[in-house]
């Protein structure tokens, strides 16, 4: 029982540091331990105790962004195509809303991989969300097929897709949405006719 106040303080401090990092990222500023300490009104030593590497801090700040639970996102939707499209659009729009965070996240991820450092990556939220969206056809598909489809669908959305749409294809949002819908439908057409026709 005596550990609870200390645990609460640790959680509050960690959240304050993550929040400060997210604020900096939203402003397009580099996440450094010094800037986070200043923004969180704490010492550099405190920041260092929680996050000795600013790359890890930037990654954690992004991964800590709260997404809507998939069950809420899919509430009242039974048609598997609609469910999948809702998930795909949600994660693309989520990336648009938090674009500054995700761009820094990608930059830090690439930097870490080039430096050969081991960064503990979390996530895979999209795969889990698509797996849940496919629930109406789970019993009609082999588990490997469901897993394969969920992974392929995950490649149609998120920040990586946004970078392709904005930086490579240079299309507006409406066109980007249409292109994404076409990709999603092509994947569903490949897998679903066997079970839904």
């Amino acid at each position: 029982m005596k550990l609870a106040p200390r645990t609460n303080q640790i959680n509050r401090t960690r959240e304050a540091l993550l929040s400060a990092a997210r604020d900096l990222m939203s402003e397009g500023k580099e996440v450094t331990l010094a800037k986070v300490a200043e923004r969180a009104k704490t010492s550099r030593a405190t920041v260092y105790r929680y996050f000795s590497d600013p790359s890890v801090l930037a990654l954690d700040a992004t991964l800590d962004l709260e997404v809507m639970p998939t069950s809420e996102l899919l509430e009242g939707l039974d048609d598997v195509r609609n469910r999948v499209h809702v998930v795909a659009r949600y994660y693309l729009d989520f990336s648009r809303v938090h674009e500054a965070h995700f761009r820094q996240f990608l930059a830090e991820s690439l930097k870490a991989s080039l430096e050969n450092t081991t960064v503990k990556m979390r996530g895979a939220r999209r795969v889990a969300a698509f797996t849940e969206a496919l629930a109406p056809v789970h019993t009609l598909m082999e588990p490997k097929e469901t897993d394969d489809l969920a992974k392929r669908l995950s490649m149609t959305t998120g920040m990586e897709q946004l970078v392709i749409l904005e930086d490579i294809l240079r299309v507006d949002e409406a066109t980007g949405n249409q292109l994404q819908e076409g990709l999603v439908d092509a994947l569903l057409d490949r897998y679903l006719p066997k079970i839904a026709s």
Side-chain angles (χ1 to χ4, degrees), residues 131-147:
T131 300
E132 190 171 338
L134 292 167
V137 294
H138 280 187
T139 58
L140 304 172
M141 297 175 72
E142 294 294 324
K144 185 180 182 325
E145 270 190 318
T146 304
D147 184 59

Side-chain angles (χ1 to χ4, degrees), residues 81 149 182-194:
R81 278 185 183 269
L149 179 55
L183 280 174
V184 170
D185 279 330
L187 282 168
L188 292 175
D189 288 346
R190 175 178 173 180
Y191 285 84
L192 298 187
K194 303 178 240 179

Side-chain angles (χ1 to χ4, degrees), residues 91-162:
Y91 279 96
L92 185 59
D93 287 344
F94 187 78
S95 297
R96 285 182 176 121
V97 170
H98 300 287
E99 185 174 351
H101 294 95
F102 282 111
R103 284 189 180 274
Q104 187 149 358
F105 173 85
L106 288 177
E108 295 298 342
S109 298
L110 291 170
K111 188 168 78 173
S113 68
L114 289 172
E115 293 170 355
N116 251 345
T117 50
T118 305
V119 177
K120 182 183 175 190
M121 299 295 287
R122 298 192 317 262
R125 297 185 279 206
R126 284 176 279 179
V127 178
F130 280 117
T131 300
E132 190 171 338
L134 292 167
V137 294
H138 280 187
T139 58
L140 304 172
M141 297 175 72
E142 294 294 324
K144 185 180 182 325
E145 270 190 318
T146 304
D147 184 59
D148 187 50
L149 179 55
K151 286 176 180 171
R152 289 175 188 231
L153 287 166
S154 297
M155 296 167 64
T156 69
T157 192
M159 188 59 206
E160 303 87 351
Q161 191 68 26
L162 186 61

